Amino acid sequence: MGNPNILDDVFEKFVNCAKLFKDREVLRHDYLPEKLPHREDQIRVLGQAVAPVLKDARCSNIFLYGKTGTGKTAVAKFVLSHLESKAKEYGAPVKFCYVNCRMTGSEYRVFASLSQSLGLSIPFTGLSVGEVFDRFRNGLDASRTIFIVVLDEIDALIKDRGDGILYELTRINEALHKSKVSIIGISNDLRLKEFLDPRVFSSLSEEEMVFRPYDASELRNILLERSKLSFYDGCLSEPALSICSALAAAEHGDARRALDLLRVAGEVAERNGSPLITEEHVRDAEKHIEHNKVVEALKNLTLHSKLVLLSVYHLNKASGTNATTGEIYDVYNELCGELGVSLLTQRRLGTLINELDVMGLLNSKVVSMGRYGRTKKIRLEISRTLIQDVFGSDERLSRMIKYEPKLLSKNTHNRH
Ligand SMILES: Nc1ncnc2c1ncn2[C@@H]1O[C@H](COP(=O)(O)OP(=O)(O)OP(=O)(O)O)[C@@H](O)[C@H]1O
Ligand SMILES: [Mg+2]
């Protein structure tokens, strides 16, 4: 049988059995539902906080924070889209700009987006940040508006570049005569305060709203609403719905995680040609998502972290026991030599090991060696096969997987 026949079969199965999804888009992260169950209080409080702009007054700067997937972005967009239509209805001179700081990237581009939303044209590059800011401020003042700026994932901007941009923005009203600016800042990093100048923080959080995690029954309601839009009636089993909510609640009450589980479970069921999404499909989805997360994490490591991981891989393969930092450093040293890259210090390597531990790729624990004191023992938290699969597609690293460290073969000989 030729290859086209295989595909005929795949496509046919898909077309004939794909009766699960009514609308896949509804489960995407950026889909904004018309109802946000369990966020009524936050919607009301944010609504009250921004309402003054309908009467020509500036509203307070507001800071929203809470863990990931707790509905901050959804609530902010929901309230602002309603405010926008009300402002049009009343003819209030209000303008809005939503910026995701992580995706936008730099201060330059944040100000460029703000300027563009006012109809100012800013070249893609070529000006200094100060010049873009001046153009923004002058253009804004001339536009005679109340401008609401939403800076989502604001931590991305601050951790990379400090809080200069926020300092300028929080003080901009002093320099404006005909326009006013209010800022809605959003962050899922609760330690953000530590990164900010206290003056900037207090002016950003004239009002503060905390989004607590959802519990399992709240997640269940959220998923139920969403599933009515995304799946045909009767395609989602009760146990599947409950297990999606329970799994996401056990992690930290993350609605995005719950929606991902539901979407992937639907895809698994679809691939199996099943007319019903079952608990087992959700379990499969969980493994699938977890696997993809680890693969992504592995791919995105820096070269030296990859080499550290490979060193543990070789030690594990050679002896099967846990390795010490010293042993890892020796193998790492050899791999660096083979690749012709310069070594990091053993101290820096210790930091990388800790990072890999936090990411769940390595596990290090301190063990007592009796009167010889204590030492750290490190082992792989993921399978060797996974490392082979992911690093195998990189030419340099695949060579290092096959490479047999001289140090280890010598040790093996000594032991025999
Ligand atoms: N109360 C809710 N009702 C319906 N859907 C919700 C609710 N809360 C969150 N969601 C959905 O869950 C997903 C994650 O929510 P959202 O993007 O608002 O999280 P977030 O708090 O901004 O997270 P992060 O800090 O990671 O940006 C989105 O798809 C959103 O539509
Ligand atoms: Mg968000």
Side-chain angles (χ1 to χ4, degrees), residues 268-311:
V268 172
E270 188 176 58
R271 264 202 301 278
N272 292 343
S274 162
L276 184 72
I277 305 170
T278 65
E279 185 176 338
E280 203 189 330
H281 297 141
V282 180
R283 297 273 179 206
D284 272 4
E286 190 194 19
K287 279 188 216 131
H288 195 77
I289 292 172
E290 195 48 44
H291 177 83
N292 286 352
K293 234 164 63 183
V294 176
V295 170
E296 272 313 295
L298 281 176
K299 281 187 187 158
N300 291 331
L301 291 175
T302 60
L303 178 65
H304 286 279
S305 293
K306 286 178 179 164
L307 291 176
V308 171
L309 212 51
L310 272 178
S311 308

Side-chain angles (χ1 to χ4, degrees), residues 29-50:
H29 293 163
D30 51 3
Y31 174 82
L32 189 58
E34 276 169 27
K35 272 196 272 177
L36 295 169
H38 308 293
R39 283 298 177 245
E40 292 81 5
D41 286 349
Q42 282 78 2
I43 291 173
R44 188 174 315 108
V45 173
L46 187 59
Q48 282 162 350
V50 293

Side-chain angles (χ1 to χ4, degrees), residues 241-410:
L241 179 63
S242 298
I243 199 85
C244 275
S245 329
L247 288 173
E251 209 155 297
H252 73 253
D254 175 347
R256 186 180 298 117
R257 167 95 175 146
L259 287 163
D260 281 344
L261 278 167
L262 190 62
R263 192 194 71 248
V264 178
E267 286 163 1
V268 172
E270 188 176 58
R271 264 202 301 278
N272 292 343
S274 162
L276 184 72
I277 305 170
T278 65
E279 185 176 338
E280 203 189 330
H281 297 141
V282 180
R283 297 273 179 206
D284 272 4
E286 190 194 19
K287 279 188 216 131
H288 195 77
I289 292 172
E290 195 48 44
H291 177 83
N292 286 352
K293 234 164 63 183
V294 176
V295 170
E296 272 313 295
L298 281 176
K299 281 187 187 158
N300 291 331
L301 291 175
T302 60
L303 178 65
H304 286 279
S305 293
K306 286 178 179 164
L307 291 176
V308 171
L309 212 51
L310 272 178
S311 308
V312 184
Y313 165 94
H314 282 300
L315 285 158
N316 174 283
K317 195 169 159 200
S319 70
T321 56
N322 299 350
T324 63
T325 314
E327 289 168 335
I328 297 174
Y329 194 70
D330 290 342
V331 177
Y332 161 80
N333 191 338
E334 205 181 314
L335 297 183
C336 284
E338 276 299 311
L339 284 178
V341 296
S342 52
L343 274 183
L344 299 177
T345 60
Q346 183 154 350
R347 193 190 153 121
R348 178 76 189 115
L349 181 113
T351 317
L352 294 186
I353 291 175
N354 288 340
E355 282 173 15
L356 293 167
D357 185 356
V358 172
M359 294 173 77
L361 300 174
L362 289 180
N363 175 301
S364 62
K365 60 171 188 268
V366 178
V367 290
S368 165
M369 306 282 282
R371 64 198 179 92
Y372 299 107
R374 285 138 64 85
T375 183
K376 224 183 201 177
K377 287 287 195 178
I378 296 135
R379 64 176 159 81
L380 279 182
E381 272 293 277
I382 51 176
S383 72
R384 290 211 302 265
T385 334
L386 186 61
I387 294 188
Q388 284 163 6
D389 289 349
V390 179
F391 292 173
S393 50
D394 175 316
E395 196 187 322
R396 280 206 296 182
L397 292 175
S398 70
R399 195 158 65 77
M400 288 302 103
I401 293 174
K402 290 183 206 119
Y403 177 77
E404 286 192 16
K406 296 185 188 68
L407 199 80
L408 295 177
S409 47
K410 196 170 70 203

